[in-house]
Amino acid sequence: MKMTTDVLIIGAGIIGAACAEALAARGVQVTIIEQDAIGSGATAAGMGHLVVMDDNAAELALSSYSLSLWREFVGTAPGKHEYSRCGTIWVAADDEEMDAARAKGDVLSSHGIECSLLGAAGLYEREPALRPGLAGGLLVSGDGLVYPPKSARIMLERAMANGTQLVMGKVSALLDGGVLLADGRELRAATVVLACGSRSAALLPELPVVPKKGHVAITDRYPGFIRHQLVELGYIKSAHASSGESVAFNLQPRPTGQILIGSSRQFGTEDLSVEPAMMKRMLRHAAGFTPALAGLNLLRCWTGMRAASPDGLPLVGPHPGRPGLWLATGHEGLGITTSLATAHLLASQLLNDRPAIAAEPYLPARFAALASHQNEHGGVQ
Ligand SMILES: Cc1cc2nc3c(=O)[nH]c(=O)nc-3n(C[C@H](O)[C@H](O)[C@H](O)COP(=O)(O)OP(=O)(O)OC[C@H]3O[C@@H](n4cnc5c(N)ncnc54)[C@H](O)[C@@H]3O)c2cc1C
């Protein structure tokens, strides 16, 4: 069987679904291919924290623009996304971290992002479950959370209402102008978008994207235990390490009253099993910040694979050496937040519109491994 479409998207995680939605809304004939349930990869594993991150200007531009799109998107149906504008408190343990909170606050304020510095009293007034002795923190009030697989499904349903077709199947190879499915079907399109998250490199070996494993756990319902997403300022250091294992305090109040506990980071494994030693380390660390957590009933724990790029930024745009192949992958620990801005950037580039933020920092061509693919092979491969 052969089928022809304008744009073929491989992967119906939140990135593929968002891209399908954005393209279909602009009249593009899209087919999206998924091997498993919709949003069942990293999208189902993620915490769903919608958070402005500012480790560099490009990350800040992408995450803050995407957050503004999210607020618009959930605006019509916040309950459907299980959206809550809970805000983030970046918790400062000591004076040094308080300086980091102040510096972060200055950067965010200078970009018009609402935030306020909290002293110890302000911190405990908002979050009494935190252990005594902390210095304060930074409250970023526009941050929020969603239930990511639900949001991905809503995006896909909107795309399908605009004509997008969903094909269930596993892509086994990229072809010139299409893809080959494991069951022998061939799907043809002038443009193919690779949005397979941490599995993207299986179809594109030169892609500099590797899996980064994360553990998460969820408790029974304890409404009011915490009110904001709480993240230690030390998270920033561990989140961007490019090797080794680390855990960081990251606690989320779900709208159900459950507490979502994250997170860990590990390289060099594709095994999705829950590792008791890593889980124990993560939970101990979290209880170090909120001691009463140790007495709560844990319901479930799981893992997921982030797709990590060498510079921590996603790859959104054309492959420099394979005409017709576009990439939307490498979103690391921020792909729920940045999905809508990614879709906007991809659709704007494909349709030759001017994007709302500069596309250059996220272009795949910045990586020599992709650019040299063109040089070595003289173009199409
Ligand atoms: C533990 C953890 C916590 C996280 N927390 C947050 C957070 O709080 N906030 C945030 O913004 N981000 C968070 N993230 C990151 C976020 O979850 C990811 O960046 C995002 O889900 C990536 O979406 P994706 O669509 O690229 O990948 P995925 O969701 O993995 O989707 C890829 C899809 O492609 C399909 N696929 C793969 N190969 C093929 C093939 N050959 N043929 C057909 N289909 C294929 C897969 O089945 C899958 O459905 C977290 C991630 C993890 C692991």
Side-chain angles (χ1 to χ4, degrees), residues 9 14-24 30 155 159 193 195 316 328 339 342-344 346-347:
I9 299 176
I14 202 156
I15 299 296
C19 292
E21 207 266 306
L23 288 166
V30 178
M155 290 171 191
V193 178
V316 184
S339 54
T342 293
H344 167 80
L346 188 95

Side-chain angles (χ1 to χ4, degrees), residues 10-16 33-37 39-43 45-50 169-171 195-199 203 212 214-216 304-306 328 331-338:
I10 316 171
I14 202 156
I15 299 296
I33 312 164
E34 173 56 53
Q35 64 183 7
D36 205 330
S40 59
T43 298
M47 294 182 76
H49 185 200
L50 304 179
K170 180 183 167 83
V171 172
C196 294
S198 68
R199 297 202 189 108
L203 292 172
K212 198 185 206 183
H215 284 71
V216 184
M305 293 288 173
R306 308 170 182 93
H331 290 79
E332 235 274 19
L334 205 52
I336 308 303
T337 304
T338 55

Side-chain angles (χ1 to χ4, degrees), residues 170-314:
K170 180 183 167 83
V171 172
S172 56
L174 301 173
L175 305 173
D176 217 3
V179 300
L180 176 66
L181 300 193
D183 60 12
R185 282 179 289 171
E186 268 183 33
L187 273 61
R188 294 275 157 201
T191 302
V192 173
V193 178
L194 183 64
C196 294
S198 68
R199 297 202 189 108
S200 300
L203 292 172
L204 193 66
E206 73 269 23
L207 188 72
V209 166
V210 296
K212 198 185 206 183
K213 183 173 178 177
H215 284 71
V216 184
I218 194 158
T219 69
D220 213 334
R221 297 176 184 222
Y222 301 96
F225 180 75
I226 56 164
R227 294 175 212 139
H228 305 80
Q229 178 110 12
L230 302 177
V231 191
E232 65 173 304
L233 270 157
Y235 169 89
I236 297 166
K237 277 179 255 154
S238 63
H240 295 284
S242 55
S243 61
E245 296 183 347
S246 61
V247 295
F249 171 63
N250 191 344
L251 218 59
Q252 182 182 90
R254 297 299 307 169
T256 54
Q258 291 170 283
I259 311 298
L260 191 54
I261 309 165
S263 58
S264 69
R265 291 183 144 73
Q266 287 167 271
F267 286 94
T269 175
E270 296 193 35
D271 178 3
L272 279 166
S273 329
V274 170
E275 296 168 47
M278 182 53 75
M279 187 56 76
K280 190 168 158 189
R281 188 173 154 196
M282 185 183 91
L283 293 174
R284 278 232 166 108
H285 188 70
F289 279 85
T290 43
L293 193 67
L296 306 190
N297 188 24
L298 209 62
L299 286 186
R300 205 161 65 80
C301 46
W302 63 90
T303 72
M305 293 288 173
R306 308 170 182 93
S309 73
D311 60 6
L313 292 173

Side-chain angles (χ1 to χ4, degrees), residues 93-169:
D94 51 29
D95 289 348
E96 194 188 339
E97 290 191 0
M98 216 41 214
D99 288 342
R102 210 166 282 117
K104 188 176 181 64
D106 290 346
V107 172
L108 297 187
S109 304
S110 71
H111 285 81
I113 294 157
E114 211 178 307
C115 59
S116 46
L117 203 63
L118 306 174
L123 179 68
Y124 291 117
E125 188 190 317
R126 286 168 181 81
E127 295 294 351
L130 283 166
R131 77 166 158 83
L134 297 166
L138 181 75
L139 168 62
V140 185
S141 47
D143 288 356
L145 60 91
V146 288
Y147 184 44
K150 259 196 174 174
S151 295
R153 185 163 279 282
I154 292 169
M155 290 171 191
L156 191 62
E157 282 167 0
R158 285 166 58 127
M160 290 172 79
N162 279 327
T164 291
Q165 292 198 42
L166 170 65
V167 171
M168 297 309 295

